[in-house]
Amino acid sequence: MARLSGAAEGTLPNWKGAFSNVPLPPGQVTGLAVCVLLQRLHPARLPGPRLVNGLVGTGLALAGVGLNTWALNERRRRSAGRFALERPDVLVTSGPYAFTRHPMYVGWWLIHLGAGGFAGTAWAFATLPAGMLAEHWGVLHEEAALSEQFQQAYAEYSARVPRYIGFQRRAPGPPS
């Protein structure tokens, strides 16, 4: 994932920490840009009242922002040293990471759908899967690196927590 850089030194001191390390997954950024372009070239409105679409879209986008914020805060809170999203120093398995191994990707998917709902465009439903597929290859690379870094702990974690969404699996153990 690409990162938004923090504010220049000495400016916006309250926002600098909040926006450093904000993940911008290229698949979703590209998908949203293509969504806007397609909507301009060939509008495809969502069925139903605009107000309902806007409210549902806003709710989805806020849920995505909330999930991303929760995940970032959990990572910062659990980091032993200086927080760097791309270079984890500990394996975080609490907070949203107890439900999905990649909560920030899931958060961006909600933001993508929410933006489409808010804008009233059906193109979001076509561009989201393309963005997800593009990101999946990066996720596989991230997981290989985490597996190498955290070895058995990551193997156990990935055995019980789904990659994206789904039901939490039982921890492996002796048969009962």
Side-chain angles (χ1 to χ4, degrees):
M1 284 193 215
R3 306 277 162 256
L4 283 177
S5 59
E9 199 67 60
T11 62
L12 299 173
N14 295 336
W15 291 97
K16 182 178 179 188
F19 287 110
S20 62
N21 281 308
V22 171
L24 291 174
Q28 296 313 307
V29 172
T30 303
L32 285 168
V34 170
C35 182
V36 168
L37 179 65
L38 289 171
Q39 184 65 17
R40 287 189 181 268
L41 295 175
H42 185 70
R45 302 262 345 136
L46 286 173
R50 287 184 180 188
L51 177 63
V52 172
N53 291 334
L55 289 173
V56 170
T58 300
L60 287 169
L62 288 174
V65 168
L67 183 57
N68 280 342
T69 301
W70 185 21
L72 280 169
N73 285 336
E74 190 68 13
R75 285 283 306 275
R76 278 191 184 102
R77 191 168 71 83
R78 299 287 181 185
S79 290
R82 185 170 184 261
F83 175 67
L85 191 62
E86 293 291 326
R87 293 175 301 286
D89 54 357
V90 295
L91 179 62
V92 178
T93 61
S94 56
Y97 293 93
F99 306 104
T100 169
R101 296 193 311 259
H102 301 283
M104 287 183 264
Y105 285 112
V106 175
W108 272 100
W109 301 344
L110 292 170
I111 292 168
H112 187 129
L113 285 177
F118 183 78
T121 177
W123 286 113
F125 293 94
T127 56
L128 176 65
M132 291 168 69
L133 184 61
E135 289 160 357
H136 181 69
W137 303 113
V139 165
L140 296 177
H141 177 74
E142 287 176 17
E143 288 188 344
L146 289 168
S147 181
E148 185 176 314
Q149 182 177 358
F150 298 109
Q151 300 175 359
Q152 185 63 31
Y154 190 78
E156 292 168 3
Y157 172 62
S158 63
R160 77 175 182 275
V161 176
R163 178 175 283 142
Y164 300 119
I165 54 176
F167 297 104
Q168 188 169 6
R169 300 178 202 108
R170 290 166 39 142
S176 44

